[in-house]
Amino acid sequence: DGFVVPGDSLNPNLTPTFSAELRKLKQSVASMSEEQFNVFQRMASKQRLLITGGAGCGKTILACEKALRLADANMKVGLFCHSSILAKRLRDFTGDKDGVYVFDFNEYIYKILNVDYEYKTQWEVYDHPSSDHIYDATAVLSSLGQDSNLRFDAVIVDEGQDFEADWLDILEFSLRSPNGLFYVFADQYQRIKKNSISFRADDTVFLQTNWRNGGNIFKIVRTFTPSKCVSDKKLEGMGEVIIKPSHQEE
């Protein structure tokens, strides 16, 4: 494609930082699957990419791994999501790596505006900044210098289906260069609002294999998310599905 991400390593093994953080969280993942690695290679040749796939396909793992590798290449990376709960998990995964800045979107807007932000242990989908806040933040962000900790060489969004179009627009302003990298990971079947993903990508790639849910559980989950995802063969026949009534007559 003629575009190569500077200093990006094409190695299927996860970085030592990520592997160590996963072990702390009692999760054992040492390398990407062949499918995940193929997607990762596509990312190395694209400036802007939309990566889609169902729950359990490894989108968050790839988002964090990409952020860590870009930071190792001396790039400044903004790693974003909507939920403050997911943001905490992303911080756990990236282990306070120098060069990786994790924000939930509310937090980022309030930091731009220099407004105190209250971290919530209980997050709701309706927790988001107002249109006025976004408008004001856009004006402030466009005036910030290249060295600001609120501007980046690369932007990575996890759970991008939760992002409004103007949220992605302001993240465009956060890039220090018009040639900055922009990757969005999303699953349209998990979107919590009616809006569709509005992102100008050079290409779209799809992760098909669910690595997390046992095959029996995946069959139930798939009825609610009619995507192309399939369960990994090693998970077939696994998982116990227990159905209980929501209430019981006396």
Side-chain angles (χ1 to χ4, degrees):
D1 293 313
F3 180 86
V4 179
V5 175
D8 202 33
S9 171
L10 291 180
N11 183 333
N13 295 326
L14 300 183
T15 58
T17 297
F18 198 6
S19 295
E21 293 303 323
L22 287 172
R23 285 195 295 272
K24 289 179 187 176
L25 299 170
K26 297 183 179 180
Q27 297 188 38
S28 179
V29 181
S31 65
M32 301 177 229
S33 69
E34 181 178 354
E35 177 189 57
Q36 291 167 344
F37 186 48
N38 288 338
V39 170
F40 210 77
Q41 288 179 306
R42 289 293 291 162
M43 295 176 74
S45 63
K46 294 293 181 182
Q47 185 177 341
R48 306 170 62 90
L49 193 65
L50 175 63
I51 303 96
T52 66
C57 288
K59 298 185 300 297
T60 296
I61 283 180
L62 290 183
C64 291
E65 179 68 15
K66 188 66 177 180
L68 291 167
R69 293 197 191 194
L70 292 175
D72 282 341
N74 296 316
M75 298 184 75
K76 191 176 170 186
V77 185
L79 180 55
F80 294 89
C81 61
H82 182 191
S83 164
S84 58
I85 297 171
L86 177 56
K88 181 182 182 304
R89 187 170 179 82
L90 296 178
R91 290 188 186 97
D92 289 340
F93 280 167
T94 52
D96 298 319
K97 171 76 173 180
D98 287 343
V100 178
Y101 299 80
V102 178
F103 295 98
D104 70 72
F105 187 72
N106 285 355
E107 174 191 13
Y108 183 62
I109 294 299
Y110 291 132
K111 279 193 178 293
I112 293 172
L113 297 175
N114 199 24
V115 174
D116 289 338
Y117 177 69
E118 179 184 353
Y119 290 89
K120 297 182 179 180
T121 55
Q122 298 295 323
W123 175 80
E124 296 181 0
V125 60
Y126 302 107
D127 289 338
H128 57 76
S130 68
S131 297
D132 287 343
H133 278 149
I134 293 175
Y135 179 84
D136 293 342
T138 302
V140 173
L141 185 60
S142 61
S143 69
L144 293 178
Q146 298 283 345
D147 295 331
S148 169
N149 284 338
L150 299 172
R151 300 194 67 186
F152 312 100
D153 300 307
V155 164
I156 299 175
V157 177
D158 194 22
E159 301 293 358
Q161 72 277 354
D162 298 340
F163 277 58
E164 304 280 359
D166 57 350
W167 298 12
L168 294 173
D169 288 343
I170 194 170
L171 295 185
E172 293 273 6
F173 280 98
S174 76
L175 288 169
R176 301 202 290 185
S177 163
N179 296 320
L181 306 178
F182 204 143
Y183 303 118
V184 176
F185 293 81
D187 177 8
Q188 62 175 332
Y189 295 109
Q190 291 188 67
R191 66 183 185 272
I192 49 184
K193 300 179 182 179
K194 291 184 178 180
N195 58 290
S196 58
I197 302 165
S198 177
F199 174 61
R200 180 177 55 83
D202 296 333
D203 200 0
T204 300
V205 292
F206 186 76
L207 288 162
Q208 287 189 305
T209 308
N210 184 300
W211 298 92
R212 184 170 66 204
N213 303 118
N216 292 328
I217 297 171
F218 180 72
K219 290 176 184 177
I220 300 295
V221 172
R222 194 175 182 187
T223 63
F224 300 101
T225 57
S227 66
K228 301 176 184 176
C229 279
V230 295
S231 180
D232 176 51
K233 291 187 179 299
K234 293 189 287 295
L235 298 177
E236 289 180 1
M238 297 177 64
E240 183 178 3
V241 178
I242 301 174
I243 301 175
K244 293 183 178 180
S246 59
H247 60 82
Q248 194 167 3
E249 298 291 339
E250 294 294 335

